[in-house]
C-alpha cells in the first residue's frame, strides 16, 4: 500500500481546549522490558458548550486500566484508537481520571517519549512525545501542575530525576532492590516540558546565588567517567544566569537547575523545566577532545536552554504554529549573549553566514514557510532555520527599530502581561508596540510572509547641491509556500514589509558623513536606521561633502538579499574603511562572490572546451580555466586583510579570508537564473584558494609562524581568534603544489596531529584542522593518519563523530563509496543520531559537489539511508530528506536522478509522516 498524504493542520482552525488538566500526578515504574505509567489527572471543563467528551492523546500505549472519580470505567464509555482516547459524556465539570498504561522504552528508536540510551532512561516530549508516555491533552495551551514519582532498580539506576524540586525518596516497601524519588514542580507547564531520567550518572555540583539572594543548586549529570568534561558547561550556565539578570532582569525560579547529558538525542538539547536534557555534544568538552567551535556551541546551547525558562516555559506557545514565539526570541537572546561575551562582530558574521547557508535556501525550496506557518502536517518538520534563525532576525529587527531600552520595556511588559500563559506571536508584538509607542502593524507581516525579500538600491550624488539620493525598492516573489496554500484553498498574506535599513555613507577620506535627511534641521549620527515601508522610497541626504560609498544594511539590519551595483573599487573602500565591522566583512564577501561568479563561468567554458562533462572523478578540473579571471586587486585585498588581522583582530581576518561557501555561491548562481553547476562552483572556489596560496605563500607562512601558540589552551576570544587565523593560513598553504605540500605542509600536519595531548598545540582545534586538511589530500599519509586517529580516539564518541565527518566532507573522488563503506564500520550506528548527522548529513548537507554528483550516486546513497532510517527514527530521516530541497535548481540530468531517488522514498509502504511531508512537497515542487 502506498502511503497516503499526511493530514494537514491549519492555524485558522485553532480552538481552545475543551478540558484543562489542573494537576497531574504520575508514577513511572521502570522494569526490565517495559515501564508502567500511572497517571492521576484533575480534569476541569474549559469551554461551556464544548465537546462533552474528554479526548486525550495517546500513542503506542498499552491500556491496562482506566477509572473515573475512583470507579473503574465501563469499557462501553471509551474507545482508544487512531492515537486518541475518547471518553464519552455526560461528565461532571470536574473529574479525576486515573489511567494505567504500559510502554516499551527499550524499543523506542524514535527517541521521542521515554526511551533507553545506553544504561539509562531519558525523555524527550517536545513537541508531541508526552502522548507516548501517558494519556493526556498533548497541546501546549494546557498548562498543568505536575508531580512525578520515578521508581526503578536501585543499583542500576541510582539517579531518579524529574522536574521541579525533590520532595521525598525511599526504598520500595515490596522490593528492597528498587527505590523511588518523588518530584514536585510548583509551576504549571505544558506537558512538552515534562522530563524524567533514571540512570547511573556522575554529577558535577555547584551553587548560584540569584540577584535577589536565593541559592540555587546547579548540577551537570554525565555518563560515569566524564566529570572532567563538564566544567565548561557549568561555567556557561553560571554566565548565562548572570547575563539574563543583567540584560533582561530575569531570575531563575526553582531551587535546582539540572542538566543531564545523553549520547542518543535527536537534536541539541531540551529546555524541560528545571531538568534540561542535552545531547552530549553540547555538554562535554576538554581541550584535547573539543574544538573551539564545540566550546562556543556549548556556551550558546546551555544559554539558549536556560533562557527558555522565561521565553518558552514561564510564557509558552498557545499552539505549535507559534513556535517562533519562543524559538526566534530565545535564539535572539542566545545571540546577544554570544555577542556580549565574545566578539560582537564575529558573532554577527557567523550568524549571517549560517542564515545564508541554512535559511535562504529554505525560502527557495519546496518546504518554504514563514516564521509562523499557517499549516503543517508534521510539526517536527518545522523546527527549521526559518522558525529559529529567521525568527531571531525578526526579533532583532524589532530591537533595531525600537532601540535597546524600548525593547527592554517591551520584554518587561510581555512578562508582566503573560507570565504563566500560553500566548501567540501577536501578543509579543503587541507588548513591543505598547511599550514603545512605535506602530508595528505593518511589521507583523514578517510573521506571515515566506521568502527572502530582495532589496534593490540605486543612488546618485550631486556635487553642486551636495545631495546624496538613495532609492530603495523591495520585492518578494511567491514561494512554494504560497503555492501550497493556494492549492489547499487558503488565503495568502501579501503586502509590503516594514524593513529597517541601517545606513552609513563612507566618504573618500574613509570617514563617515554625518547624516541629515532633507528637511531635518541638523545632522544626527553617522548610522541611521531608515524605515522602508513602501514598495519604493527615496531618501535624500544633504550636506554630503563628496561622493560617498554607501554602506547599506549595517550589521545586517534585515534578512534580505541586497541588489546594489557597487564597483570593485567601492567595495575595496568599504573593506578598508567601513566603521561597521560586519559590512567590512560583507564587502569582502561581495567582492569574492563577484570574482567567483566569473570563475564559475570560466570553469564552465573550459569544461565545454574539453568536450567532456565535468564529473566527480576528475579532481583537477580546477586547472582547466586558468586564473585570468582573478584580479590582482583581489589578491592584494586579501593580503591586506591578513596584515590587518595580525596587527588587530585575527578572528575577523579569519572570517574575511573564508571565501563564500559553495552553498552560498549556489544561491548566487540561482539568483542569476542559472542552474547550479556544483562541479564548476567547487572548481572555481578551489582554484581561487590555490591562486591565493601561490601568490600569498610567504605571507601565509609568516602569519602561521607568528601565530604559534605559547600559552596553554583556553577557549577565550583572543586565543580562539589566533587559532582561527593560524588554521586558515595552514588551510591555504595546503592548497600548494604537490612538491611544497610534501616538503613543507604535510610534515606540519602530521606533527600537529602527533602533538595530541600537548597543551599548547595538541588541542582538538589544531588536530581537526590538520585532519580535515589531510582528508582532502590524495597522499599516502592520509590513510595511515586517519587510522591512527581512530585508534587513539575510539572511546570518545564525540571525537569518533568528527572522524566520520571529515571523511564524509572530503573533496576526494570516491567519497560516496567511502561513506557507504563507513556505514559498515563497527562504530557506525543508524540508531545514533550524532553518528548519522556526522556521516550522512556531513555528506548530504556539507559536501554539495559529491552529494549532487552528476551520476546520481549521492542521491541514491541518501535514498537508501532515508528508506532504512525512516522506520527507525522518522525525525532524523526527515532531516536527511531535506538535503533534496534544491533538486529542481540543478540541470536536467541531475533532476532526473533526484526524482528517481525521491519517488523511490515516496513509494515506501507506511512511510513515516515526517518524511512523507518533506518528500511529498519536494515532488510537488
Ligand atoms: N525546544 C527544543 C527543540 C525540540 C525539537 C523537537 N523536534 C530545543 C530548543 O530549541 O531549545
Ligand atoms: Zn529553543
Amino acid at each position: 500500500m502506498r502511503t497516503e498524504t499526511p493530514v494537514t493542520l491549519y492555524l485558522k482552525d485553532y480552538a481552545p481546549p475543551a478540558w484543562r488538566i489542573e494537576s497531574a500526578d504520575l508514577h513511572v515504574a521502570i522494569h526490565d522490558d517495559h515501564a508502567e505509567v500511572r497517571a492521576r489527572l484533575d480534569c476541569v471543563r474549559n469551554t461551556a458548550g464544548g465537546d462533552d467528551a474528554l479526548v486525550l492523546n495517546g500513542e503506542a500505549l498499552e491500556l491496562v486500566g482506566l477509572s473515573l472519580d475512583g470507579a473503574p470505567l465501563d469499557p462501553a464509555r471509551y474507545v482508544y484508537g487512531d492515537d486518541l482516547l475518547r471518553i464519552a459524556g455526560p461528565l461532571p465539570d470536574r473529574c479525576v481520571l486515573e489511567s494505567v498504561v504500559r510502554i516499551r522504552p527499550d524499543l523506542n528508536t524514535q527517541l521521542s517519549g521515554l526511551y533507553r540510551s545506553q544504561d539509562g532512561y531519558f525523555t524527550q516530549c517536545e513537541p508531541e512525545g508526552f502522548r507516548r508516555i501517558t494519556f493526556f491533552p498533548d497541546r501546549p495551551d494546557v498548562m498543568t501542575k505536575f508531580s512525578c514519582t520515578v521508581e526503578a532498580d536501585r543499583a542500576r539506576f541510582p539517579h531518579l530525576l524529574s522536574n521541579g524540586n525533590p520532595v521525598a525518596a525511599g526504598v520500595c516497601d515490596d522490593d528492597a532492590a528498587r527505590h523511588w524519588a518523588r518530584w514536585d514542580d510548583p509551576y504549571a507547564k505544558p506537558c512538552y516540558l515534562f522530563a524524567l531520567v533514571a540512570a547511573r550518572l556522575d554529577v558535577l555540583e555547584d551553587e548560584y546565588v540569584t540577584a535577589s539572594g536565593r541559592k540555587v543548586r546547579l548540577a551537570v549529570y554525565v555518563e560515569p567517567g566524564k566529570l572532567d568534561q563538564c566544567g565548561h558547561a557549568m561555567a556557561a550556565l553560571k554566565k548565562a544566569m548572570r547575563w539574563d539578570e543583567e540584560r533582561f532582569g530575569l531570575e531563575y525560579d526553582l531551587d535546582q537547575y539540572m542538566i543531564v547529558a545523553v549520547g542518543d538525542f535527536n537534536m541539541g538539547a531540551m529546555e524541560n523545566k528545571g531538568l534540561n536534557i542535552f545531547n552530549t555534544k553540547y555538554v562535554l568538552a576538554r581541550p584535547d577532545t573539543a574544538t573551539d567551535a564545540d566550546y562556543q556551541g556549548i556556551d550558546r546551547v546551555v544559554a539558549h536552554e536556560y533562557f527558555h525558562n522565561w521565553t518558552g516555559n514561564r510564557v509558552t506557545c498557545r499552539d505549535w504554529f507559534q513556535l517562533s514565539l519562543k524559538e526566534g526570541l530565545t535564539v535572539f537572546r542566545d545571540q546577544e549573549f554570544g555577542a556580549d561575551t565574545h566578539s560582537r562582530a564575529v558573532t554577527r558574521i557567523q550568524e549571517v553566514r549560517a542564515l545564508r547557508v541554512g535559511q535562504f535556501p529554505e525560502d527557495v525550496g519546496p518546504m518554504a514557510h514563514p516564521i509562523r506557518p499557517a499549516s503543517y502536517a508534521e510539526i517536527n518538520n518545522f523546527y527549521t532555520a526559518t522558525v529559529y534563525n529567521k525568527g531571531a532576525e525578526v526579533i532583532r529587527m524589532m530591537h533595531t527599530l525600537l532601540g535597546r531600552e524600548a525593547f527592554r520595556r517591551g520584554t518587561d511588559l510581555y512578562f508582566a502581561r503573560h507570565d504563566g500563559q500560553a500566548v501567540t506571536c501577536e501578543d509579543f508584538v503587541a507588548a513591543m508596540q505598547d511599550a514603545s509607542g512605535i506602530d508595528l502593524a505593518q511589521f507583523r507581516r514578517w510573521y506571515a510572509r515566506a521568502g527572502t525579500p530582495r532589496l534593490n538600491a540605486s543612488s546618485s550624488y550631486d556635487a553642486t547641491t551636495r545631495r546624496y539620493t538613495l532609492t530603495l525598492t523591495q520585492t518578494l516573489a511567491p514561494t512554494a509556500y504560497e503555492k501550497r496554500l493556494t492549492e489547499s484553498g487558503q488565503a495568502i498574506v501579501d503586502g509590503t514589509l516594514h524593513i529597517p535599513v541601517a545606513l552609513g555613507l563612507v566618504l573618500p577620506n574613509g570617514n563617515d558623513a554625518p547624516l541629515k535627511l532633507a528637511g531635518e534641521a541638523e545632522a544626527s549620527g553617522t548610522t541611521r536606521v531608515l524605515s522602508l515601508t513602501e514598495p519604493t522610497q527615496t531618501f535624500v541626504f544633504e550636506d554630503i561633502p563628496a561622493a560617498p560609498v554607501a554602506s547599506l544594511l549595517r550589521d545586517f539590519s534585515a534578512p534580505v538579499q541586497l541588489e546594489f551595483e557597487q564597483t570593485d573599487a567601492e567595495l575595496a573602500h568599504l573593506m578598508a574603511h567601513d566603521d561597521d565591522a560586519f559590512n567590512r566583512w560583507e564587502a569582502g564577501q561581495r567582492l569574492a562572490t563577484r570574482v567567483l561568479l566569473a570563475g564559475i563561468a570560466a570553469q564552465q567554458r573550459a569544461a565545454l572546451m574539453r568536450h567532456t562533462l565535468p564529473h566527480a572523478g576528475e579532481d583537477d578540473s580546477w586547472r582547466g580555466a586558468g586564473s585570468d579571471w582573478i584580479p590582482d586587486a583581489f589578491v592584494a585585498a586579501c593580503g591586506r586583510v591578513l596584515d590587518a588581522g595580525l596587527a588587530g583582530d585575527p578572528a575577523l581576518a579569519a572570517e574575511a579570508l573564508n571565501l563564500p561557501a559553495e552553498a552560498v555561491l549556489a544561491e548566487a548562481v540561482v539568483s542569476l537564473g542559472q542552474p547550479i553547476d556544483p562541479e564548476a562552483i567547487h572548481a572555481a572556489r578551489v582554484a581561487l584558494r590555490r591562486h591565493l596560496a601561490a601568490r600569498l605563500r610567504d605571507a601565509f607562512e609568516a602569519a602561521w609562524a607568528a601565530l604559534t601558540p605559547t600559552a596553554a589552551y583556553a577557549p577565550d576570544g583572543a586565543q580562539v581568534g589566533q587559532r582561527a587565523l593560524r588554521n586558515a593560513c595552514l588551510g591555504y598553504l595546503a592548497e600548494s603544489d604537490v612538491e611544497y605540500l610534501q616538503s613543507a605542509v604535510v610534515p606540519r600536519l602530521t606533527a600537529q596531529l602527533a602533538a595530541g595531548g600537548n597543551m599548547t598545540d595538541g588541542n582538538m582545534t589544531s588536530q581537526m584542522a590538520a585532519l580535515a586538511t589531510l582528508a582532502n589530500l590524495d597522499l599516502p599519509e592520509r590513510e595511515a593518519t586517519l587510522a591512527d586517529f581512530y585508534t587513539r580516539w575510539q572511546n570518545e564518541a564525540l571525537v569518533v563523530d568528527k572522524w566520520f565527518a571529515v571523511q564524509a566532507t572530503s573533496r576526494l573522488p570516491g567519497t560516496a563509496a567511502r561513506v557507504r563503506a563507513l556505514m559498515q564500520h563497527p562504530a557506525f550506528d543508524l540508531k545514533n543520531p550524532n553518528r548519522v548527522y556526522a556521516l550522512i548529513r556531513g555528506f548530504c548537507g556539507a559536501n554539495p559537489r559529491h552529494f549532487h554528483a552528476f551520476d546520481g550516486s549521492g542521491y541514491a546513497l541518501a535514498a537508501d539511508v532515508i528508506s532504512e532510517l525512516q522506520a527507525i527514527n522518522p525525525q532524523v530521516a526527515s532531516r536527511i530528506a531535506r538535503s533534496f530541497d534544491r533538486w529542481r535548481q540543478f540541470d536536467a540530468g541531475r533532476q532526473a536522478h533526484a526524482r528517481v531517488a525521491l519517488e523511490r522514498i515516496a513509494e515506501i509502504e507506511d512511510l513515516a509522516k515526517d518524511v512523507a511531508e518533506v518528500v511529498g512537497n519536494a515532488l510537488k515542487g
Side-chain angles (χ1 to χ4, degrees):
M1 179 201 76
R2 207 194 137 143
T3 318
E4 287 166 43
T5 323
V7 179
T8 303
L9 303 177
Y10 296 97
L11 168 59
K12 67 171 175 48
D13 295 338
Y14 173 84
W19 291 82
R20 290 185 297 113
I21 310 296
E22 220 166 56
S23 60
D25 185 34
L26 307 185
H27 185 113
V28 181
I30 291 169
H31 298 282
D32 272 347
D33 64 343
H34 74 280
E36 186 187 83
V37 182
R38 281 183 267 148
R40 182 183 194 281
L41 311 182
D42 289 310
C43 312
V44 183
R45 191 185 298 282
N46 190 28
T47 42
D51 194 350
D52 193 37
L54 176 57
V55 183
L56 306 171
N57 302 95
E59 196 181 292
L61 307 176
E62 184 192 328
L63 178 54
V64 177
L66 265 186
S67 67
L68 194 73
D69 288 329
L73 205 55
D74 177 351
R77 289 228 14 226
Y78 65 87
V79 314
Y80 176 35
D82 290 336
D83 296 337
L84 291 175
L85 172 68
R86 197 182 166 84
I87 300 168
L91 291 162
D93 285 351
R94 300 187 72 101
C95 54
V96 175
L97 180 74
E98 286 169 285
S99 67
V100 182
V101 301
R102 278 181 165 225
I103 52 179
R104 307 291 296 273
D106 287 50
L107 306 181
N108 182 356
T109 57
Q110 296 186 26
L111 313 185
S112 161
L114 177 64
Y115 64 92
R116 182 185 178 130
S117 166
Q118 309 274 18
D119 298 324
Y121 291 86
F122 304 83
T123 53
Q124 170 56 35
C125 294
E126 183 179 0
E128 297 180 335
F130 192 70
R131 63 187 62 182
R132 295 165 55 79
I133 296 175
T134 191
F135 290 111
F136 204 80
D138 190 355
R139 43 186 290 168
D141 56 355
V142 172
M143 294 181 83
T144 303
K145 280 198 176 160
F146 282 88
S147 50
C148 179
T149 304
V150 190
E151 182 201 306
D153 185 87
R154 233 163 97 191
R156 285 162 58 210
F157 310 109
H159 290 102
L160 305 176
L161 311 174
S162 190
N163 314 90
N165 301 315
V167 287
V171 173
C172 292
D173 292 340
D174 52 351
D175 185 351
R178 293 174 66 79
H179 68 155
W180 58 272
R182 183 172 169 75
W183 293 78
D184 186 70
D185 183 355
Y187 292 93
K189 63 172 178 285
C191 66
Y192 82 82
L193 291 172
F194 172 83
L196 77 79
V197 170
R200 166 182 293 284
L201 300 160
D202 278 353
V203 55
L204 175 69
E205 297 191 79
D206 208 325
E207 191 180 82
Y208 179 83
V209 181
T210 69
S212 67
R214 278 193 331 99
K215 280 194 185 137
V216 181
R217 170 185 178 259
L218 308 180
V220 178
Y221 293 87
V222 290
E223 170 193 323
K226 295 266 195 274
L227 269 188
D228 61 341
Q229 299 189 42
C230 303
H232 189 72
M234 180 64 89
L237 176 59
K238 292 197 279 187
K239 257 190 297 179
M241 294 176 90
R242 193 61 75 207
W243 183 88
D244 214 14
E245 291 172 349
E246 287 167 0
R247 177 86 186 259
F248 283 97
L250 299 172
E251 252 188 52
Y252 188 58
D253 53 8
L254 287 166
D255 302 338
Q256 297 225 20
Y257 192 87
M258 297 173 282
I259 289 178
V260 178
V262 56
D264 296 285
F265 202 66
N266 282 346
M267 63 281 168
M270 178 64 213
E271 69 265 25
N272 317 300
K273 184 83 190 183
L275 177 57
N276 287 187
I277 298 185
F278 268 61
N279 189 321
T280 44
K281 181 172 163 57
Y282 293 107
V283 175
L284 302 178
R286 215 172 52 196
D288 62 332
T289 61
T291 62
D292 291 337
D294 294 329
Y295 275 93
Q296 282 181 14
I298 291 170
D299 273 348
R300 293 286 286 270
V301 178
V302 167
H304 179 100
E305 305 311 331
Y306 174 72
F307 298 155
H308 267 315
N309 191 53
W310 277 95
T311 51
N313 302 3
R314 291 284 290 254
V315 183
T316 195
C317 302
R318 185 192 73 173
D319 53 73
W320 290 122
F321 297 100
Q322 318 295 331
L323 182 57
S324 201
L325 171 80
K326 74 177 177 80
E327 295 305 346
L329 178 55
T330 305
V331 171
F332 171 76
R333 277 153 50 69
D334 87 54
Q335 290 180 347
E336 283 298 290
F337 170 74
D340 284 348
T341 49
H342 298 281
S343 150
R344 184 162 281 272
V346 172
T347 304
R348 188 68 185 133
I349 288 167
Q350 290 170 350
E351 285 151 14
V352 174
R353 205 191 276 285
L355 191 76
R356 287 186 173 142
V357 172
Q359 199 278 320
F360 283 13
E362 203 156 73
D363 278 337
V364 290
M367 287 290 288
H369 55 278
I371 63 169
R372 179 172 58 185
S375 71
Y376 62 76
E378 171 52 62
I379 183 56
N380 274 306
N381 285 332
F382 288 81
Y383 287 74
T384 56
T386 298
V387 166
Y388 275 64
N389 301 58
K390 186 177 176 184
E393 294 298 320
V394 170
I395 303 289
R396 180 176 297 280
M397 285 190 283
M398 283 189 265
H399 188 270
T400 302
L401 287 167
L402 271 62
R404 188 185 278 214
E405 282 172 19
F407 185 89
R408 169 64 194 272
R409 289 201 300 278
T411 54
D412 287 353
L413 182 61
Y414 172 68
F415 296 120
R417 278 182 183 168
H418 300 298
D419 189 10
Q421 298 176 5
V423 304
T424 65
C425 299
E426 292 294 319
D427 294 316
F428 183 81
V429 180
M432 285 292 149
Q433 173 165 310
D434 295 347
S436 67
I438 292 177
D439 182 358
L440 295 171
Q442 185 179 354
F443 186 84
R444 280 178 173 79
R445 289 184 186 145
W446 280 103
Y447 282 88
R449 295 210 64 185
T452 312
R454 290 188 178 270
L455 179 66
N456 184 280
S458 62
S459 67
S460 63
Y461 177 71
D462 184 338
T464 46
T465 57
R466 295 167 40 110
R467 287 179 158 217
Y468 178 83
T469 306
L470 177 71
T471 300
L472 298 176
T473 301
Q474 56 168 305
T475 49
L476 181 47
T479 68
Y481 173 74
E482 284 76 23
K483 210 168 147 195
R484 291 202 304 276
L485 284 189
T486 313
E487 276 168 14
S488 57
Q490 303 298 302
I492 290 176
V493 173
D494 60 7
T496 313
L497 293 167
H498 181 173
I499 303 177
V501 182
L503 160 103
L505 296 178
V506 185
L507 296 169
N509 66 7
N511 294 334
D512 270 6
L515 298 179
K516 175 167 117 59
L517 279 163
E520 289 178 348
E522 54 190 272
S524 71
T526 51
T527 298
R528 294 281 290 266
V529 178
L530 308 175
S531 270
L532 178 64
T533 53
E534 304 289 334
T536 295
Q537 252 167 288
T538 295
F539 301 88
V540 178
F541 295 91
E542 294 179 334
D543 299 337
I544 304 299
V549 181
S551 167
L552 278 175
L553 289 175
R554 281 186 161 173
D555 207 35
F556 204 58
S557 63
V560 299
Q561 294 263 27
L562 179 63
E563 293 166 350
F564 187 29
E565 299 269 331
Q566 285 182 305
T567 62
D568 288 4
E570 287 174 321
L571 292 176
H573 190 66
L574 293 178
M575 275 178 84
H577 301 293
D578 201 319
D579 250 9
D580 183 67
F582 176 84
N583 264 2
R584 283 202 301 280
W585 172 81
E586 178 79 334
Q589 295 289 299
R590 284 170 65 201
L591 202 53
T593 304
R594 185 173 295 172
V595 172
L596 284 161
L597 285 173
I600 291 164
Q603 295 292 342
Q604 287 171 324
R605 281 193 303 274
L608 275 177
M609 301 261 285
R610 288 198 305 273
H611 296 288
T612 61
L613 279 175
H615 61 82
E618 194 180 11
D619 193 42
D620 59 355
S621 55
W622 60 274
R623 285 180 211 277
S627 55
D628 296 352
W629 47 276
I630 307 174
D632 286 344
F634 183 76
V635 179
C638 291
R640 282 196 300 272
V641 163
L642 186 54
D643 291 343
L646 282 176
D649 188 338
L652 272 178
E655 292 297 342
L657 289 171
N658 187 352
L659 299 176
E662 290 176 27
V664 171
L665 295 170
E667 218 58 52
V669 168
V670 172
S671 314
L672 298 175
Q674 293 167 13
I676 302 171
D677 178 343
E679 289 295 330
I681 290 175
H682 177 77
R685 195 171 182 278
V686 172
L688 181 52
R689 284 176 57 82
R690 294 193 188 199
H691 187 77
L692 291 172
R695 294 279 305 275
L696 299 174
R697 179 187 291 171
D698 293 345
F700 285 132
E701 283 290 5
W704 186 85
L707 292 164
T708 303
T710 48
Y713 178 91
D716 61 42
Q719 277 200 16
V720 169
Q722 287 165 0
R723 275 190 291 273
L725 186 54
R726 188 166 193 256
N727 286 330
C729 293
L730 188 58
Y732 275 103
L733 291 169
E735 306 284 10
S736 303
D737 55 86
V738 172
E739 219 171 293
Y740 192 75
L741 271 182
Q742 298 273 30
S743 62
V745 181
V746 172
R748 235 176 301 180
L749 296 175
T750 43
Q752 202 157 307
L753 279 158
N758 167 321
M759 282 302 278
T760 50
D761 207 15
N763 56 74
M764 187 48 79
T765 308
S766 307
Q767 300 244 319
M768 282 316 294
L771 193 71
T773 306
L774 260 180
N776 282 335
L777 299 175
D778 189 10
L779 297 174
E781 291 82 355
R782 178 181 199 262
E783 292 308 319
T785 312
L786 281 166
D788 280 356
F789 189 90
Y790 178 77
T791 311
R792 175 145 38 109
W793 290 111
Q794 55 185 313
N795 295 322
E796 286 290 342
L798 296 172
V799 183
V800 173
D801 290 336
K802 296 179 196 302
W803 179 81
F804 276 109
V806 290
Q807 297 178 75
T809 51
S810 168
R811 285 183 197 170
L812 291 189
T815 294
R818 176 77 168 223
V819 171
R820 281 195 188 268
L822 284 169
M823 287 177 66
Q824 305 306 318
H825 190 280
F828 186 75
D829 179 3
L830 215 45
K831 292 201 172 103
N832 177 256
N834 284 358
R835 280 289 132 91
V836 175
Y837 292 145
L839 185 64
I840 308 300
R841 198 168 54 178
F843 178 77
C844 300
N847 199 340
R849 178 204 185 197
H850 286 313
F851 175 63
H852 299 286
F854 86 108
D855 62 359
S857 54
Y859 301 150
L861 165 57
D864 289 345
V865 174
I866 294 162
S867 303
E868 195 180 342
L869 189 56
Q870 61 86 27
I872 298 171
N873 189 329
Q875 280 183 48
V876 175
S878 179
R879 288 205 187 180
I880 305 294
R882 292 291 309 275
S883 318
F884 284 98
D885 267 19
R886 287 164 177 269
W887 74 284
R888 283 180 202 273
Q889 289 147 12
F890 290 80
D891 54 90
R894 287 184 170 86
Q895 285 196 32
H897 287 298
R899 179 181 290 283
V900 169
L902 285 164
E903 285 178 344
R904 180 146 69 84
I905 301 168
E907 291 298 327
I908 292 172
E909 215 174 289
D910 293 327
L911 179 64
K913 179 163 89 165
D914 312 49
V915 178
E917 180 176 35
V918 167
V919 170
N921 282 345
L923 283 170
K924 252 187 270 161

